């Protein structure tokens, strides 16, 4: 699990903010099969237990299923959230998968980004771009034209890596005798890679050692991130079902004159803490200052949910995604959550989100007061 969070974060962000110039179709059924003789024009989203693409998709494929099989041709990207993902056909774009097991037995025209327990690249596979893997076990028998990088536990290379490895962290690395690495081998590990006689390394081996910690595997920052994400989703559901009117009104407020709302939000974000500090000077004002600080803290915490819901709905309308409102809001919330995790820039995103939310909230309150007069 600890290796999955970065992959799912990347995949969800790319999914949430992807753009499309094609028509978009959404299918929800237990088993979906695009027959060999069929061609789907535009992007295709599939939700169900099993998805099989035997024909051609002239666009991207988004899949939420227990099992995904790409046996035909996808002219765009494949974005999969599944238990098991098999690519025996051709994907002309990227493969971005958060899955228990990813097997690529065909051709991928660009890059693979994967978070999984197992990644298997058989002999006949051809990856024309790079692989970024966040997995437990990788068996690479096929050909990767560019680089292989990521965070893995066990890596075995038997095939060819066209431009080498430049950023890999792994506990165990085995380069077998048939392997060809046409570039450098740059990695961080507790011990040096096992390179068998006969293996071809065109570049240099650059090894950085680290000592694995003996503490519990569960004592890891990823657990905190996961708990934070789950608590955010739980809070979203609570707000969604207990305060749907407030959520809708604030979303509507964000749709109108967002520039002025940013200005008002900035004033509130700066002015409220200063006002609380002034109140703290007087004994009488201390309780009010504490209440104001707690209220502001609560508003800032829930702001990512309100802004995320609005962003998801806005994206769905903008790109004409045929999604249930809950799915659109979920995409938006996950996208906002990911942005907030970006080092350094996360604070910039957070300030922008706070200003948008506080400005929209102020506008809603003002309109409610005007209507009450």
């Amino acid at each position: 699990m600890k290796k999955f969070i970065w992959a799912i974060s990347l995949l969800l962000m790319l999914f949430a903010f992807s753009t499309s110039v094609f028509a978009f179709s959404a299918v929800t059924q237990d088993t979906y099969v695009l027959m060999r003789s069929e061609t789907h024009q535009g992007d295709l989203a599939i939700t169900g237990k099993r998805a099989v693409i035997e024909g051609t998709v002239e666009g991207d494929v988004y899949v939420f299923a227990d099992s995904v099989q790409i046996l035909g041709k996808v002219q765009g990207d494949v974005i999969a959230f599944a238990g098991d993902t098999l690519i025996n056909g051709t994907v002309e774009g990227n493969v971005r998968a958060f899955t228990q097991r990813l097997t690529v037995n065909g051709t991928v025209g660009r890059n693979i980004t994967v978070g999984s327990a197992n990644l298997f690249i058989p002999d006949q596979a051809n990856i024309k771009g790079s692989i970024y893997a966040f997995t437990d076990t990788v068996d690479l028998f096929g050909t990767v034209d560019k680089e292989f990088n990521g965070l893995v536990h066990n890596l075995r290379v038997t095939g060819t890596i066209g431009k080498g490895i430049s950023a890999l962290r792994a506990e165990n690395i085995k380069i077998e005798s048939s392997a060809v690495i046409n570039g450098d081998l740059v990695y961080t590990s507790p011990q040096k890679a096992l390179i068998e006689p006969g293996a071809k390394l065109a570049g240099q081996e650059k090894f950085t050692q680290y000592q694995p910690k003996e503490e519990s595997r569960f004592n890891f920052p990823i657990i905190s991130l996961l708990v934070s994400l789950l608590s955010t989703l739980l809070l979203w559901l609570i707000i969604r079902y207990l305060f749907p009117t407030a959520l809708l009104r604030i979303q509507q407020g964000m749709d109108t004159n967002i520039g002025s709302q940013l200005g008002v939000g900035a004033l509130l974000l700066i002015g409220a803490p200063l006002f609380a500090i002034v109140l703290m000077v007087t004994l009488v004002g201390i309780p009010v200052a504490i209440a104001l600080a707690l209220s502001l803290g609560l508003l800032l915490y829930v702001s990512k949910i309100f802004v995320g819901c609005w962003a998801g709905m806005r994206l769905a309308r903008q790109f004409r995604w045929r999604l249930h409102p809950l799915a659109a809001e979920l995409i938006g919330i996950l996208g906002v959550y990911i942005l907030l995790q970006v080092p350094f820039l996360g604070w910039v995103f957070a300030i922008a989100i706070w200003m948008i939310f506080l400005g929209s909230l102020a506008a809603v309150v003002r309109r409610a007061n005007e209507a009450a007069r």
Side-chain angles (χ1 to χ4, degrees):
M1 283 297 295
K2 69 181 182 180
K3 302 181 181 70
F4 296 169
I5 189 69
W6 304 113
I8 193 171
S9 295
L10 180 61
L11 294 171
L12 290 171
M13 181 171 65
L14 292 171
F15 175 77
F17 293 102
S18 59
T19 59
S20 174
V21 296
F22 300 103
F24 185 89
S25 300
V27 178
T28 301
Q29 58 189 58
D30 283 350
T31 300
Y32 173 83
V33 180
L34 182 70
M35 302 302 293
R36 187 182 302 273
S37 59
E38 296 179 324
T39 298
H40 182 278
Q41 296 181 342
D43 295 346
L44 175 63
I46 306 167
T47 304
K49 292 183 178 180
R50 184 168 177 260
V52 181
I53 305 297
E54 296 179 349
T56 300
V57 177
E58 297 178 345
D60 298 336
V61 174
Y62 305 86
V63 186
F64 299 81
D66 293 338
S67 173
V68 181
Q69 296 181 18
I70 307 296
L71 309 179
K73 183 177 182 180
V74 177
Q75 294 182 357
D77 296 344
V78 171
I79 297 92
F81 299 84
D84 187 79
T85 303
L86 171 65
I87 298 178
N88 272 4
T90 299
V91 177
E92 294 184 353
N94 301 291
V95 173
R96 300 159 180 161
F98 178 68
T99 180
Q100 182 67 21
R101 178 179 174 85
L102 172 62
T103 302
V104 181
N105 207 22
T107 300
V108 176
R110 300 185 67 183
N111 303 318
I112 294 177
T113 305
V114 56
S116 67
N118 302 100
L119 171 61
F120 181 44
I121 309 293
D123 293 343
Q124 55 268 43
N126 186 6
I127 316 302
K128 297 185 180 298
S130 298
I131 295 179
Y132 306 92
F134 302 82
T135 67
D136 187 69
T137 302
V138 177
D139 290 303
L140 200 163
F141 294 85
T143 301
V144 179
D145 286 356
K146 294 185 179 180
E147 292 192 349
F148 179 92
N149 294 305
L151 175 65
V152 304
H153 188 271
N154 298 304
L155 169 64
R156 180 170 60 151
V157 179
T158 303
T160 300
I161 302 178
K163 294 187 177 180
I165 295 173
S166 62
L168 174 66
R169 183 182 178 96
E171 293 192 18
N172 300 292
I173 303 173
K174 184 178 182 181
I175 311 297
E176 297 192 349
S177 57
S178 60
V180 177
I181 300 178
N182 292 316
D184 293 335
L185 173 59
V186 182
Y187 63 99
T188 301
S189 178
Q191 64 275 325
K192 294 193 69 173
L194 174 60
I195 302 178
E196 294 184 347
K200 297 179 181 179
L201 177 60
Q204 298 180 345
E205 180 184 4
K206 300 178 183 179
F207 165 59
T208 301
Q209 187 175 30
Y210 77 91
Q211 296 296 329
K213 297 181 179 180
E214 297 297 332
E215 65 227 30
S216 170
R217 294 182 65 184
F218 295 97
N219 185 17
F220 196 74
I222 193 61
I223 301 300
S224 298
L225 285 173
L226 185 58
V227 170
S228 175
L229 175 60
L230 293 176
S231 64
T232 298
L233 295 178
L234 178 60
L235 184 58
W236 162 58
L237 293 176
I238 292 173
I239 293 173
R240 184 67 173 75
Y241 288 102
L242 294 183
F243 308 102
T245 303
L247 185 61
L248 177 61
R249 287 181 178 175
I250 291 178
Q251 286 182 19
Q252 292 172 343
M254 292 177 188
D255 281 327
T256 58
N257 200 6
I258 194 169
S260 64
Q261 292 172 9
L262 280 169
V264 173
L267 290 175
L268 290 173
L269 187 60
I270 297 171
L274 292 177
F275 184 56
I277 292 173
V278 171
L279 289 175
M280 290 290 288
V281 176
T282 64
L283 183 63
V284 177
I286 291 177
V288 179
I290 294 174
L292 178 60
L294 291 175
S295 299
L296 180 62
L298 178 62
L299 290 174
L300 296 183
Y301 183 76
V302 301
S303 63
K304 58 189 175 185
I305 294 173
F306 284 86
V307 174
C309 290
W310 166 74
M313 295 297 292
R314 183 73 177 265
L315 285 170
R317 292 195 302 268
Q318 180 71 26
F319 302 118
R320 299 179 180 178
W321 293 345
R322 297 178 184 177
L323 299 176
H324 189 280
L326 284 176
E329 290 181 3
L330 175 61
I331 291 172
I333 290 172
L334 291 171
V336 167
Y337 184 86
I338 293 157
L339 292 177
L340 294 176
Q341 308 308 313
V342 178
F344 305 111
L345 290 178
W347 281 105
V348 177
F349 293 130
I351 292 171
I353 289 168
W354 293 341
M355 291 192 299
I356 292 172
F357 173 70
L358 291 176
S360 301
L361 181 61
V364 170
V365 172
R366 184 177 64 252
R367 284 195 295 268
N369 289 335
E370 291 172 353
R373 291 175 183 174

